[in-house]
Every structure is written in C-alpha cells, then in structure tokens.
Amino acid sequence: MTPKTKEIREHNHSSAECGCAVRDASASSRKALAVDAEIKSRNIKRLRRIEGQVRGLQKMVDDDRYCADIMTQISSVQEALRGVGKELMRNHLKHCATGAIRSGGGEAERMYDEILDLMYTHNR
C-alpha cells in the first residue's frame, strides 16, 4: 500500500460514518438501523457454511492433500465470502446509503466517501 493510499484510507475511516449507524452504549461499535431479517438469516447460514469449509481446508492441509485441490477449495471459500459481501453491500446501499444521500450535505458527502472506500477495499 502506498503512503498516499494509506493516508486516503485513514482519512476515510476516520471521517466516513455510516448514515444509518448508531453507536451502542459503550460507543465502541456501530449498528445498522435497518437490516432485512431474511437477508440476515441467509448471511448467517452462508457464514456457518463458510466456517465449515474453512475447517475442511485446515483438515486438507493437515492431511497433506494435493495443493491444487486445496487451492480450488480456497477459491470456493473466497467466492462464498464475496456473496455475503454482495448481500451486505446491497443492504447498505438500500438502507444506509439511501438515507444519508437523501439527507444531503455533509452526511451525503461522508456516505459517498464511505461507498467509494468500500468499493476500493472490496473489489481487489
């Protein structure tokens, strides 16, 4: 990561607040105001399946399985994680971003920065 990229990312992380996020009582984490229950349920199921796949990968490595087979399974895990990320991005755009952008002003600008940062970070 170049120094300029690092500077931009640090700026975005320090200034880009999710438009729908609220801080919990400890002010240490943010929570979304709107999460579709069906999407959340699907994502939890997907993540549990991915967790099982990762445990399978660990076993494959431990059992000295053929490298190409392990790499194929790694690709499957990465694709499954991308699927969860896509659903999360969809929810974020549908609820968080839409509200922040409609409100205009500084909140909209912070959301634009956040969306760009998410796109840059998650499309490598």
Side-chain angles (χ1 to χ4, degrees), residues 86-105:
K86 182 179 174 183
E87 286 292 323
L88 291 171
M89 178 63 93
R90 180 180 190 74
N91 187 78
H92 188 59
L93 292 171
K94 189 174 181 180
H95 298 288
C96 307
T98 300
I101 292 168
R102 283 184 179 154
S103 72

Side-chain angles (χ1 to χ4, degrees), residues 1 5-13 120-121 124:
M1 181 180 315
T5 304
K6 187 175 180 180
E7 177 185 328
I8 290 168
R9 289 191 69 200
E10 286 172 359
H11 170 74
N12 286 343
H13 284 293
Y120 172 79
T121 302
R124 293 186 214 176

Side-chain angles (χ1 to χ4, degrees), residues 1-83:
M1 181 180 315
T2 68
K4 184 65 177 168
T5 304
K6 187 175 180 180
E7 177 185 328
I8 290 168
R9 289 191 69 200
E10 286 172 359
H11 170 74
N12 286 343
H13 284 293
S14 65
S15 65
E17 282 286 320
C18 174
C20 71
V22 292
R23 296 226 178 256
D24 67 9
S26 68
S28 63
S29 66
R30 298 181 292 172
K31 298 199 182 255
L33 291 177
V35 178
D36 183 295
E38 185 178 321
I39 292 172
K40 181 178 179 178
S41 176
R42 277 197 316 258
N43 282 336
I44 294 294
K45 286 176 186 172
R46 282 179 173 177
L47 289 168
R48 287 187 180 132
R49 202 172 308 123
I50 292 165
E51 183 179 25
Q53 287 178 294
V54 171
R55 278 195 301 272
L57 279 168
Q58 290 170 334
K59 184 169 176 8
M60 289 176 80
V61 170
D62 192 44
D63 292 346
D64 298 323
R65 294 280 300 273
Y66 187 59
C67 296
D69 293 342
I70 296 170
M71 297 297 295
T72 299
Q73 290 304 311
I74 288 172
S75 292
S76 294
V77 169
Q78 290 171 330
E79 188 59 33
L81 285 169
R82 275 191 289 277

